[in-house]
Amino acid sequence: MSDSPVPVTVLGLGLMGQALAGAFLAAGHPTTVWNRSAAKADELVGRGATLAASPAAAVAAGSLIVVCVTDHRAVRELLEPLGDALPGRVLVNLTSGTSREARENAEHTAAQGATYLDGVILTIPSGIGTPEATILYSGPRSTFDEHESALRALGPGATFVGEDHGLAALYDAAMLSVMWGLLNGFLHGTALLGTAGVSATSVVPMLGQGIEAVTGWIARYADQIDAGVYPADDATIDTQRAAMQHLVEESRAAGINGELPAFVTKLADRAVAEGRGGDSYAALIEQFRKSA
Amino acid sequence: MSDSPVPVTVLGLGLMGQALAGAFLAAGHPTTVWNRSAAKADELVGRGATLAASPAAAVAAGSLIVVCVTDHRAVRELLEPLGDALPGRVLVNLTSGTSREARENAEHTAAQGATYLDGVILTIPSGIGTPEATILYSGPRSTFDEHESALRALGPGATFVGEDHGLAALYDAAMLSVMWGLLNGFLHGTALLGTAGVSATSVVPMLGQGIEAVTGWIARYADQIDAGVYPADDATIDTQRAAMQHLVEESRAAGINGELPAFVTKLADRAVAEGRGGDSYAALIEQFRKSA
């Protein structure tokens, strides 16, 4: 790790790219930027950034190159012509994508003589550079360690998740699945209570308590999953399936969408059919592991 | 509220009924119990409970009657023959059921001259009587207030949710929907990371952070839902739908079950088709409100 801020380059100045470049500037890094439409650089240039005339010129100016563009195709289109400029550089791709795309980028980048870190930003642009900004990185540990201080300019929650380049994307996917699961449960429950005149706002405190309780169980379920045994200390899948059927019934009786509880029940039905009715909810991991 | 513990009766001594009777005994209430198979009362009798010879005798001995049996049918079979014994009693039904069943019980009970509270226990038997025990009650507010001190023997978190007898069951349903949503997201994410060799246990801390963040957004989304406007301060449904499609792709590529993200995507597709792509995730409430 170096004490004097390394020169960095940010390719792509959408809202997120602008926030990233701004955070590097705020931390004292010599910052070069490039964007397809140069006007987006105006404010950053006013704050001391250098606008490069081309991606190649931008890459030549930095030792740490951060890419944040629309999608994987835009990443490839940007990087492929840069063969000459890349050797010796460290490329950090913060564009959203899949684990397969991350591994593909790593291969291409290696062929171009550069080192690759894949990253996933778990915050909105206004969170960049603040304590809320968690960014997950995967790729060579030594590269992450070497550049950690620069990466921490984007957020103190710079977190290394593993050497497999696909891991940051997989962690992101897992967190999104939890997020949508939680939000959909909240929306379904709120729709249900809404039919009895209960406002969404008044439901929140109690749901918050419930979420906290369930978060506590998750640690115990994780132990069961890793051990491959699912003792039902709390409630069996059989018992929960009866409650799921109630929820389908409640939804139908209230005239709201019952697809979510029907989906949940279908998973439990399969687990019961495989003899898991007496196990804890964690045994449903087996259903999720199967290709549908 | 009375200062000397009122005589209570507990009908049904499954694991939960035994825990309820035990908590009343611990709080000094004269406690009468009844169960179809009397042997389940042995331990409670050893601790000072009175075993009644019939449901009618049990009901005659208490002013507050708690029912905790297998299901709604068992409740009806137990209570219907008790016409003579019920007048003037307060019946608290803690058997799991739907809001419709709760309202039906309230009508029958009123016809039998008693007052009805429906309740939902949000803990496992070993949690009864401890600070973790939240129990939700719905029915006449004055009845809850009058018996709150006795009900708090079962858990200090005795919470009145409204006069509509169906509300406790609806809150329970909403909380279960959140719970299963969260757990299924966790299991899907864990299955996904498992394909890259990541243990469930090592995923938990990061998911915990994510859950905490999402819980914070829920309050803001609730405000949007009550206001009926869904400004996308964070991420639009369009943006999230792209990430959902990634998650379907990740699941397929990893060879695991992709039904959950496919379901989530389907909901977002519908919202986008209705012109909600530029709104926040909270706009999906409209999809949940529709009968499927």
Side-chain angles (χ1 to χ4, degrees):
Chain A
M1 266 184 263
S2 155
D3 287 325
S4 74
V6 299
V8 299
T9 292
V10 177
L11 302 173
L13 298 175
L15 283 181
M16 189 59 88
Q18 289 184 46
L20 298 170
F24 280 131
L25 285 170
H29 288 272
T31 304
T32 301
V33 297
W34 176 85
N35 191 61
R36 209 166 36 178
S37 69
K40 293 224 176 140
D42 288 351
E43 200 220 317
L44 292 163
V45 169
R47 292 171 59 192
T50 303
L51 174 64
S54 70
V59 167
S63 56
L64 185 71
I65 316 297
V66 172
V67 182
C68 187
V69 291
T70 316
D71 55 19
H72 182 63
R73 202 164 76 174
V75 173
R76 300 304 333 140
E77 284 173 3
L78 181 63
L79 298 181
E80 263 155 28
L82 294 185
D84 290 353
L86 282 181
R89 299 295 187 280
V90 170
L91 197 70
V92 180
N93 180 30
L94 298 177
T95 306
S96 297
T98 64
S99 58
R100 185 184 53 73
E101 290 164 353
R103 292 178 189 129
E104 195 183 310
N105 287 331
E107 277 178 36
H108 283 281
T109 308
Q112 289 177 301
T115 310
Y116 184 75
L117 287 176
D118 200 74
V120 164
I121 300 170
L122 302 178
T123 185
I124 55 177
S126 63
I128 293 296
T130 76
E132 282 109 72
T134 296
I135 305 184
L136 311 182
Y137 297 93
S138 50
R141 169 104 227 183
S142 57
T143 305
F144 175 80
D145 287 347
E146 195 185 334
H147 294 278
E148 189 177 352
S149 64
L151 297 174
R152 285 174 60 86
L154 306 179
T159 306
F160 181 77
V161 292
E163 299 240 332
D164 172 348
H165 286 95
L167 277 176
L170 286 178
Y171 267 92
D172 183 40
M175 295 187 69
L176 288 171
S177 201
V178 169
M179 177 186 84
W180 290 317
L182 185 48
L183 290 177
N184 288 339
F186 160 66
L187 293 176
H188 176 252
T190 299
L192 194 58
L193 280 160
T195 64
V198 179
S199 73
T201 316
S202 64
V203 178
V204 169
M206 201 163 295
L207 290 188
Q209 280 180 39
I211 293 167
E212 208 183 308
V214 178
T215 305
W217 308 341
I218 279 180
R220 201 174 66 230
Y221 285 165
D223 288 338
Q224 294 189 356
I225 290 166
D226 288 339
V229 289
Y230 314 101
D233 312 321
D234 41 12
T236 62
I237 291 177
D238 280 334
T239 300
Q240 300 209 50
R241 190 167 63 133
M244 289 169 189
Q245 288 160 345
H246 280 173
L247 190 50
V248 172
E249 220 178 304
E250 284 285 10
S251 304
R252 193 175 297 139
I256 68 158
N257 190 318
E259 289 170 290
L260 183 59
F263 176 82
V264 173
T265 308
K266 185 176 67 179
L267 285 175
D269 286 346
R270 289 186 204 153
V272 169
E274 292 176 13
R276 291 296 191 184
D279 284 342
S280 83
Y281 203 87
L284 282 166
I285 187 74
E286 295 179 352
Q287 303 307 316
F288 283 98
R289 281 183 183 143
K290 283 181 195 171
S291 156
Chain B
M1 265 186 265
S2 157
D3 287 325
S4 74
V6 297
V8 299
T9 292
V10 177
L11 302 174
L13 298 175
L15 282 183
M16 189 59 87
Q18 290 184 47
L20 298 170
F24 279 131
L25 285 170
H29 289 270
T31 303
T32 302
V33 297
W34 176 86
N35 191 61
R36 210 166 36 179
S37 70
K40 293 223 176 142
D42 288 352
E43 200 219 318
L44 291 163
V45 168
R47 291 171 60 193
T50 303
L51 174 63
S54 69
V59 167
S63 56
L64 186 71
I65 316 297
V66 171
V67 181
C68 187
V69 291
T70 317
D71 55 19
H72 181 63
R73 201 165 76 174
V75 173
R76 301 300 338 140
E77 284 174 2
L78 181 63
L79 297 182
E80 263 154 27
L82 294 185
D84 289 353
L86 282 181
R89 299 294 187 281
V90 170
L91 198 71
V92 179
N93 180 30
L94 298 177
T95 307
S96 297
T98 65
S99 58
R100 186 184 51 73
E101 290 165 352
R103 293 179 188 128
E104 194 182 310
N105 287 331
E107 277 178 37
H108 283 282
T109 308
Q112 288 176 301
T115 309
Y116 184 74
L117 287 175
D118 200 74
V120 165
I121 300 170
L122 302 177
T123 186
I124 55 177
S126 62
I128 293 296
T130 77
E132 282 109 71
T134 296
I135 305 185
L136 311 183
Y137 297 93
S138 50
R141 169 102 228 183
S142 58
T143 306
F144 175 80
D145 287 346
E146 195 185 335
H147 294 278
E148 189 177 352
S149 64
L151 297 174
R152 286 174 62 85
L154 305 178
T159 305
F160 180 76
V161 292
E163 298 240 332
D164 173 349
H165 286 95
L167 277 175
L170 285 178
Y171 267 93
D172 182 41
M175 296 187 68
L176 287 171
S177 201
V178 170
M179 177 185 87
W180 290 316
L182 185 49
L183 290 178
N184 288 339
F186 160 68
L187 293 176
H188 176 251
T190 299
L192 195 58
L193 280 160
T195 64
V198 179
S199 72
T201 316
S202 65
V203 178
V204 169
M206 201 163 296
L207 291 188
Q209 280 180 39
I211 292 167
E212 207 184 308
V214 178
T215 306
W217 309 341
I218 279 179
R220 203 174 64 229
Y221 285 165
D223 288 337
Q224 294 189 355
I225 290 166
D226 288 339
V229 288
Y230 314 101
D233 312 321
D234 42 11
T236 62
I237 291 176
D238 279 335
T239 300
Q240 300 209 50
R241 190 167 63 132
M244 288 168 190
Q245 289 160 346
H246 279 172
L247 190 50
V248 172
E249 219 177 306
E250 284 286 10
S251 304
R252 192 176 297 138
I256 68 157
N257 189 317
E259 289 170 291
L260 182 60
F263 176 81
V264 172
T265 308
K266 186 177 67 177
L267 285 175
D269 286 346
R270 290 185 204 154
V272 169
E274 291 177 12
R276 291 297 191 184
D279 284 342
S280 82
Y281 203 87
L284 282 166
I285 186 75
E286 295 179 354
Q287 303 307 316
F288 283 99
R289 281 183 183 143
K290 283 180 197 174
S291 154

